[in-house]
Amino acid sequence: MQAKQYVEQIQQYLEEKDPNQSEFLQAVEEFLPTIVPFLDEHPEYIEHNILGIIVEPERMIQFRVPWQDDKGNWQVNRGYRVQFNSAIGPYKGGLRFHPSVNMSILKFLGFEQIFKNSLTGLPIGGGKGGSDFDPKGKSDPEIMRFCQSFMTELSKHIGPNLDVPAGDIGVGGREIGYLFGQYKRLREYDAGVLTGKPLGFNGSLGRTEATGYGAVYFVKHLLEDKGDSFQDKKVLVSGSGNVAIYAIEKVQELGGTAVTCSDSNGYVYDKDGIDLDLLKDIKEVRRERLTEYVKERSNAEYFEGSVWDLETAADIALPCATQNEIDKAKAERLAANGVKVVAEGANMPSTMDAVKVYHENGVLYGPGKAANAGGVAVSALEMSQNSQRLSWTKEEVDGKLDDIMKNIYETCRDTAAKYSEKDNYAAGANIAGFAKVADAMIAQGLV
Ligand code: NDP
């Protein structure tokens, strides 16, 4: 069978089987056509029906999470873990706590995680999990009780050689601490069961910063390759969580000016550059909304709505909030405003139409599965330190992260040049990530 026909058949099968899983179908549809040139050259993958198998998670777990709020009322949420692919290592991927979480979103995230983890060059498979629990507005004791209940069930399905969750939207150091404490209470002290742990108990220096820093390193290497740098570049950033904050920090360190950040209500435009100390204080310490930022920084402006509706000339865009935040019209606005590079700190923040606009307008595009792989890469470094009972310095971890991001960028660039159009880093990421996993699956008898 021809490769093109084969991938169309897989897509059609999934659309019939899971018509309501729009995010998962989108992630697969973005992936499949890009690997056609590679399949044309390697019909053995078609003979093994590797795509038909790889789009099915190895295991999906769903469970109830009952917990008590501060008023004494019993609440219940849904908990999930999707163990997608363990061909090259234990399942690895974050936990997301957000009201929008459902099986479709976790399958899209888990599917992308397979290829992202493969691209890091480290021995980690793909997984993702979470809950439709909304941490916003909850007290610390409520968060703790929820995490304890969630881990009571999840602990039966994870382990250092089986599945090693980490954070994602709504899950940071505080949540990982409570989850770890409950795992320890139920099983034993095992540092290797979660990553993103606080520094006081086997966390890795540099993990908090890794995803944001990594996305900026990806762009740094891309710019260097084109004889350019971050110096004096105007950068638009969305989000104001873990990824966005440290992307802004690294942009500033490298001489660029990050002028925006956002949350789900609105965005801040600070033309002098985001005041990082203030942003960290509001988001990490006080856990308040972005409206507070402009109260304390008179030159900055706050607008309701999407940051991608801002009309301003800029050089680089780093979407670091959530999936599908940039659609066709927003991508057209970025291109018209002079943006030359889009690198995704978030997972799948650009719709497929938006990506098409980037390609049509010569905007260089670093897809999430390559550009935000620094987080999971440093999580894998945390696993190594835990196994060796060692703690590397921040400089050591940061140096390794920079090397890994350079390697990912070069792999995407070179693979794109070999199999697809030059500079199509999404195709490069998909093909390179896929090849390693597919070979491992075949060598293991397609288990
Ligand atoms: P956080 O929870 O720390 O921050 C998320 C940010 O995105 C917040 O500012 C939040 O605003 C905003 N946001 C969330 N949902 C929406 C929405 N529906 N519309 C608009 N804004 C929204 O999460 P992270 O920074 O960890 O994650 C951000 C992205 O990066 C996600 O796509 C995640 O999957 C991806 N990622 C994260 C990694 C990590 O290591 N943490 C690793 C790789 C990728 P609000 O407070 O209003 O909800």
Side-chain angles (χ1 to χ4, degrees):
M1 191 190 293
Q2 292 297 308
K4 189 163 176 295
Q5 192 190 347
Y6 175 55
V7 303
E8 282 167 4
Q9 193 180 299
I10 301 289
Q11 184 74 36
Q12 197 184 340
Y13 168 80
L14 287 178
E15 275 166 17
E16 281 165 19
K17 204 83 181 157
D18 301 304
N20 301 322
Q21 296 189 347
S22 59
E23 294 86 359
F24 175 56
L25 292 173
Q26 180 184 340
V28 175
E29 194 179 347
E30 179 274 325
F31 172 82
L32 288 178
T34 62
I35 61 166
V36 167
F38 180 68
L39 295 178
D40 276 335
E41 220 178 71
H42 295 279
E44 67 273 19
Y45 296 121
I46 303 178
E47 283 152 26
H48 282 92
N49 188 22
I50 203 88
L51 291 177
I53 298 171
I54 213 167
V55 295
E56 292 293 344
E58 287 176 25
R59 191 176 299 110
M60 299 195 293
I61 300 148
Q62 185 182 327
F63 50 96
R64 72 178 180 204
V65 189
W67 58 281
Q68 204 169 21
D69 66 22
D70 286 345
K71 294 190 182 115
N73 299 317
W74 280 96
Q75 308 282 350
V76 64
N77 286 92
R78 288 186 181 173
Y80 307 87
R81 188 71 183 164
V82 178
Q83 298 180 329
F84 223 120
N85 195 298
S86 61
I88 62 169
Y91 312 106
K92 181 96 198 82
L95 297 171
R96 176 177 291 192
F97 291 170
H98 192 272
S100 63
V101 164
N102 57 32
M103 209 45 116
S104 169
I105 288 186
L106 295 177
K107 279 177 73 182
F108 118 63
L109 290 163
F111 183 69
E112 296 219 321
Q113 196 84 43
I114 303 169
F115 310 109
K116 178 190 306 192
N117 293 2
S118 166
L119 274 177
T120 66
L122 299 165
I124 37 180
K128 201 83 191 185
S131 172
D132 58 359
F133 173 74
D134 187 358
K136 239 176 265 163
K138 303 288 190 302
S139 69
D140 271 5
E142 286 175 327
I143 301 277
M144 182 185 74
R145 289 193 293 274
F146 175 81
C147 288
Q148 289 172 341
S149 181
F150 183 85
M151 182 53 89
T152 300
E153 179 58 32
L154 188 71
S155 64
K156 298 170 190 161
H157 310 285
I158 60 174
N161 294 311
L162 172 62
D163 185 354
V164 184
D168 190 77
I169 290 179
V171 179
R174 172 182 60 170
E175 290 75 18
I176 293 288
Y178 292 144
L179 291 164
F180 186 73
Q182 182 70 352
Y183 183 88
K184 188 185 75 170
R185 183 183 279 137
L186 293 166
R187 320 286 275 202
E188 60 184 336
Y189 190 105
D190 195 332
V193 75
L194 289 168
T195 60
K197 297 181 293 297
L199 293 176
F201 42 99
N202 299 98
S204 172
L205 285 160
R207 173 61 186 94
T208 306
E209 298 86 349
T211 309
Y213 279 18
V216 176
Y217 288 147
F218 182 94
V219 178
K220 178 185 81 165
H221 292 297
L222 183 159
L223 292 172
E224 279 174 8
D225 214 12
K226 309 279 177 196
D228 205 345
S229 78
F230 263 101
Q231 195 60 46
D232 300 327
K233 295 285 185 298
K234 187 167 160 187
V235 184
L236 304 177
V237 177
S238 66
S240 51
N242 171 258
V243 180
I245 287 174
Y246 293 96
I248 293 170
E249 182 164 284
K250 188 51 76 176
V251 165
Q252 292 183 348
E253 265 178 51
L254 296 181
T257 308
V259 292
T260 60
C261 60
S262 69
D263 61 22
S264 49
N265 300 112
Y267 63 95
V268 163
Y269 176 49
D270 189 338
K271 61 178 176 5
D272 301 325
I274 296 292
D275 179 337
L276 203 58
D277 289 341
L278 176 59
L279 181 65
K280 282 185 183 177
D281 187 46
I282 292 170
K283 300 311 286 190
E284 294 184 337
V285 182
R286 291 148 52 184
R287 295 182 188 272
E288 288 175 347
R289 306 302 293 165
L290 272 184
T291 39
E292 295 304 306
Y293 183 95
V294 285
K295 289 186 191 158
E296 294 169 50
R297 180 112 164 142
S298 54
N299 280 347
E301 297 170 273
Y302 178 84
F303 301 94
E304 286 189 354
S306 164
V307 64
W308 307 117
D309 289 333
L310 177 67
E311 283 292 356
T312 185
D315 304 294
I316 295 166
L318 303 175
C320 297
T322 194
Q323 63 273 0
N324 290 330
E325 50 176 301
I326 305 184
D327 60 13
K328 183 168 184 267
K330 293 177 168 65
E332 283 168 347
R333 180 172 297 111
L334 289 176
N337 284 330
V339 167
K340 294 282 180 297
V341 180
V342 176
E344 297 179 335
N347 286 307
M348 207 167 75
S350 309
T351 65
M352 281 192 294
D353 285 344
V355 174
K356 218 165 137 212
V357 172
Y358 304 150
H359 289 314
E360 284 164 2
N361 287 275
V363 175
L364 296 169
Y365 166 60
K369 61 169 80 74
N372 71 36
V376 74
V378 173
S379 272
L381 301 183
E382 183 176 331
M383 290 162 75
S384 301
Q385 293 170 79
N386 293 159
S387 317
Q388 298 175 70
R389 297 179 191 275
L390 286 176
S391 189
W392 299 336
T393 65
K394 191 162 180 188
E395 290 68 33
E396 266 179 287
V397 174
D398 194 47
K400 288 181 201 293
L401 171 65
D402 195 6
D403 288 346
I404 290 170
M405 296 315 296
K406 181 168 194 273
N407 194 267
I408 290 176
Y409 164 67
E410 289 175 352
T411 302
C412 294
R413 177 197 63 192
D414 296 344
T415 312
K418 186 167 175 203
Y419 288 104
S420 177
E421 321 120 62
K422 185 173 169 288
D423 290 340
N424 186 340
Y425 308 127
N430 288 342
I431 294 170
F434 168 75
K436 187 173 156 195
V437 176
D439 287 343
M441 287 170 71
I442 292 171
Q444 291 171 27
L446 291 168
V447 287

